Amino acid sequence: MKVTFIGATHEVTGSCSLIEVGNTAFLVDCGMEQGENRFENAPLPVAPSALAAVVLTHAHIDHSGYLPLLYKQGFCGKVYTTESTTSLCQIMLRDSAHIQESEAEWKTRKAVRAGRPEVEPLYTVADAEGVLEHFRPCPYDQVIRIAENAAVRFTDIGHLLGSAAAELWLTEDGVTKKIVFSGDVGNTNQPIINDPKPVQQADYLVIESTYGNRLHAERPDYVGELTQILQQTFDRGGTVVIPSFAVGRTQEMLYFIREIKEKNLVHGHDGFPVYVDSPLANEATGIFLQCPTENLDEEARELVDRGVNPLWFDGLRTSVTKEDSQAINANAEPKVIISASGMCDAGRIRHHLKHNLWHAASTVLFVGYQAGGTLGRALVDGAQKVRIFDEEIAVNAEIRVMAGISGHADKNGLLHWLQCFDAHPQQVFVNHGDDDSCTDFTNCLREEYGYNAYAPYSGTCYDLLHGEFIAKPEGVLIVRKEGGTEAGTARDPRALAAFSALQRAVRQLAAVAQAAAGRPNKELKRMTAQLEELCRAWNK
């Protein structure tokens, strides 16, 4: 009975953990890495075809996005998740696959012109369709047996519609252990969805740490702040561009704008149009409106009970086709454009940024977390120029961030949820946070609150039956070539093995150099000359 950590170790995306109990193996999450990838991921130690199941905490692509790839590689088990997560994955995984195909097609055109081989997509729409056939929707708060020796219960974690903490009971040699995966713990008082619900007991806990060393500011007046941004931008004749995650954040922004329009809070621009330029966001909004009302918070339920659509208002326009999207920027009237993706690295938002970033009258409003290495993060950090579609664009627009809009709990929120357990888990594993956040939160749990906490690197393996580590590797940083490209790839096991061997050799060499202190100068000079010659040979 063991857990092996594969992804989102000292990183904030790519969640993936392997559970092995008896002869059964299954994953908890199978997420895509997004933004900057700092550490090598260990290869999955079992074949995808040998996996009995995947337990999925929620639909965000950094938790679900490699499921079609897993299917492509031979996975034929079941995917257990909540009912709303199943509905959202129906659209999100298809959309992700479409992006993979489109980008591969674009890269192939460039490659063929340069005489290089065609580029194969990571996975296809057919792969997404295939894995979706294996989904098994589960209600909240019911224990579901997923194997003879394993059961799961999903508890609302308040991060996204359908999101859940996964409580797992594992039995081996007549002994049952319980391990809980928090998934992404939600922020409190978010619009539309419930606050996180507590879990009372666990032998082991895996908890995220996205905001593990940060506190959200005092909850702002979202409607008031958004009203001010709209008013100021419209008064100077500009457009408000909101890069927004299609699922969750877009619906929250529609919720706020509905209230602004209902109360006539923006003056002099009656009926201002709001474009949702994302087919995925439009489909997701439909799922929000059709979900079981118990998935909604009290305020949203009251609106529904009064017959008020909480996500619709006069002036709301949806864009489906490419022509619809292109027509938005042809219109110079003050407006709001909400478009995916939230970190600006894919989708139609890049076109809207290309058309609006240079325009000083416009505003780009960020309403969600921006991972390192993304275009969104560069803009938030004050970039004066950015490259979009290989064109350099001046950043003249006003860049704004609505502080406090986060679907993740901050440090205090994580601590509050953790302290709802009746007793300290035997071992707490901290993952899904960047290196600093993950490390700081682990130290906080250990030093300030007395938890037995550890932040695993990829490849860490722990024996849940006997309560001891089997493997405790250090993190292996990805070495990048000049220009920012990766020198190795975690997707090719042979390349990973070769690169890991090189990393070990580098560490051995460093140890030899350290041990050389005190040797005669003649030997040190000879060693230095040999190393410099080696560097020159491989830098050619």
Side-chain angles (χ1 to χ4, degrees):
M1 184 190 300
K2 59 186 179 181
V3 58
T4 304
F5 297 92
I6 305 297
T9 53
H10 290 255
E11 294 180 328
V12 79
T13 66
S15 283
C16 182
S17 302
L18 172 69
I19 298 287
E20 295 172 273
V21 52
N23 294 321
T24 302
F26 61 92
L27 297 181
V28 178
D29 289 339
C30 189
M32 181 181 290
E33 292 177 311
Q34 298 171 304
E36 183 180 12
N37 185 20
R38 293 192 61 206
F39 292 96
E40 290 283 5
N41 279 356
L44 193 64
V46 301
S49 59
L51 294 169
V54 176
V55 172
L56 180 60
T57 61
H58 66 284
H60 277 149
I61 293 298
D62 64 327
H63 289 256
S64 70
Y66 275 161
L67 284 172
L69 178 61
L70 198 72
Y71 174 82
K72 178 180 179 179
Q73 295 171 337
F75 172 72
C76 56
K78 297 178 181 178
V79 180
Y80 293 93
T81 190
T82 65
E83 295 163 314
S84 290
T85 296
T86 299
S87 297
L88 290 174
C89 281
Q90 292 283 338
I91 60 172
M92 295 180 72
L93 293 182
R94 289 188 180 99
D95 181 75
S96 178
H98 176 70
I99 290 173
Q100 298 300 325
E101 289 185 342
S102 297
E103 292 194 349
E105 182 182 351
W106 175 70
K107 290 177 181 177
T108 291
R109 288 198 299 268
K110 293 182 67 175
V112 169
R113 289 196 296 268
R116 298 191 300 270
E118 294 185 1
V119 177
E120 180 184 349
L122 188 62
Y123 53 79
T124 65
V125 172
D127 295 322
E129 297 280 3
V131 79
L132 288 167
E133 292 294 324
H134 292 259
F135 272 61
R136 296 297 181 267
C138 306
Y140 280 124
D141 304 324
Q142 290 188 21
V143 177
I144 308 293
R145 187 150 297 280
I146 63 175
E148 183 180 353
N149 49 5
V152 65
R153 179 170 65 195
F154 294 103
T155 300
D156 195 343
I157 201 65
H159 170 67
L160 175 73
L161 188 71
S163 64
E167 304 175 66
L168 292 163
W169 288 267
L170 311 174
T171 301
E172 187 175 298
D173 295 338
V175 178
T176 297
K177 295 290 184 178
K178 182 181 179 184
I179 181 170
V180 174
F181 287 78
S182 73
D184 286 354
V185 181
N187 200 357
T188 56
N189 298 314
Q190 290 188 87
I192 307 174
I193 62 175
N194 292 311
D195 285 349
K197 294 183 179 178
V199 175
Q200 270 75 42
Q201 186 275 331
D203 297 303
Y204 303 102
L205 172 65
V206 182
I207 188 169
E208 64 113 333
S209 57
T210 307
Y211 284 88
N213 60 357
R214 286 168 286 175
L215 299 178
H216 297 321
E218 185 177 344
R219 188 175 190 271
D221 175 8
Y222 294 134
V223 169
E225 186 174 350
L226 181 56
T227 298
Q228 180 191 55
I229 292 169
L230 297 179
Q231 187 74 60
Q232 292 175 345
T233 306
F234 293 167
D235 285 349
R236 60 181 184 243
T239 291
V240 177
V241 179
I242 305 178
S244 181
F245 298 101
V247 182
R249 192 67 69 242
T250 291
Q251 290 72 40
E252 290 176 2
M253 299 311 296
L254 295 178
Y255 191 83
F256 296 143
I257 294 172
R258 178 203 59 80
E259 183 175 345
I260 289 170
K261 282 181 166 277
E262 181 183 88
K263 296 179 178 178
N264 297 312
L265 298 179
V266 171
H267 304 294
H269 305 280
D270 295 342
F272 65 87
V274 177
Y275 295 88
V276 178
D277 187 25
S278 165
L280 176 63
N282 292 325
E283 291 183 86
T285 300
I287 290 172
F288 271 72
L289 293 173
Q290 296 164 18
C291 75
T293 55
E294 58 265 27
N295 288 6
L296 305 177
D297 66 11
E298 184 177 352
E299 183 177 338
R301 284 198 302 271
E302 288 178 356
L303 287 171
V304 172
D305 290 343
R306 289 196 284 114
V308 175
N309 186 330
L311 304 178
W312 186 90
F313 43 79
D314 288 336
L316 178 60
R317 303 172 188 176
T318 57
S319 296
V320 177
T321 67
K322 182 172 67 174
E323 290 73 23
D324 291 339
S325 179
Q326 291 171 341
I328 295 173
N329 289 303
N331 183 346
E333 67 178 328
K335 56 188 170 292
V336 176
I337 304 172
I338 303 174
S339 185
S341 70
M343 298 186 193
C344 306
D345 270 3
R348 298 179 178 183
I349 187 62
R350 292 181 295 176
H351 293 277
H352 297 300
L353 291 173
K354 179 181 176 181
H355 281 277
N356 288 280
L357 271 175
W358 62 271
H359 193 357
S362 292
T363 298
V364 178
L365 173 61
F366 288 95
V367 293
Y369 180 78
Q370 303 300 307
T374 63
L375 174 58
R377 182 62 170 268
L379 291 169
V380 168
D381 287 347
Q384 299 298 304
K385 295 179 180 179
V386 294
R387 294 197 71 83
I388 301 176
F389 301 120
D390 291 328
E391 182 179 343
E392 189 173 84
I393 308 295
V395 180
N396 298 324
E398 183 180 8
I399 306 299
R400 296 284 296 268
V401 177
M402 282 187 67
I405 289 195
S406 173
H408 287 270
D410 64 2
K411 177 181 177 180
N412 285 343
L414 293 171
L415 289 170
H416 175 76
W417 184 79
L418 179 53
Q419 290 169 333
C420 289
F421 284 80
D422 293 336
H424 283 196
Q426 178 179 334
Q427 178 73 52
V428 176
F429 303 97
V430 181
N431 72 350
H432 206 281
D434 64 32
D435 195 23
D436 290 342
S437 180
C438 187
T439 301
D440 291 348
F441 190 60
T442 302
N443 292 338
C444 169
L445 293 181
R446 191 167 50 231
E447 297 168 8
E448 298 180 38
Y449 293 91
Y451 287 92
N452 189 15
Y454 181 73
Y457 285 100
S458 186
T460 297
C461 185
Y462 188 88
D463 185 329
L464 300 168
L465 195 60
H466 299 100
E468 59 188 21
F469 284 93
I470 299 171
K472 210 172 180 181
E474 292 297 315
V476 179
L477 283 169
I478 292 173
V479 177
R480 300 184 184 279
K481 298 177 182 178
E482 187 176 350
T485 59
E486 294 180 9
T489 171
R491 290 193 193 119
D492 183 345
R494 291 171 298 178
L496 175 60
F499 186 68
S500 295
L502 176 63
Q503 292 284 85
R504 286 194 297 273
V506 170
R507 289 194 290 269
Q508 290 170 358
L509 179 60
V512 170
Q514 186 68 29
R519 286 192 177 191
N521 288 345
K522 186 176 180 180
E523 290 185 18
L524 294 178
K525 288 179 180 179
R526 187 172 71 251
M527 182 184 293
T528 300
Q530 290 172 347
L531 292 178
E532 288 176 344
E533 178 61 30
L534 181 65
C535 291
R536 283 193 293 270
W538 284 99
N539 276 329
K540 290 181 180 178

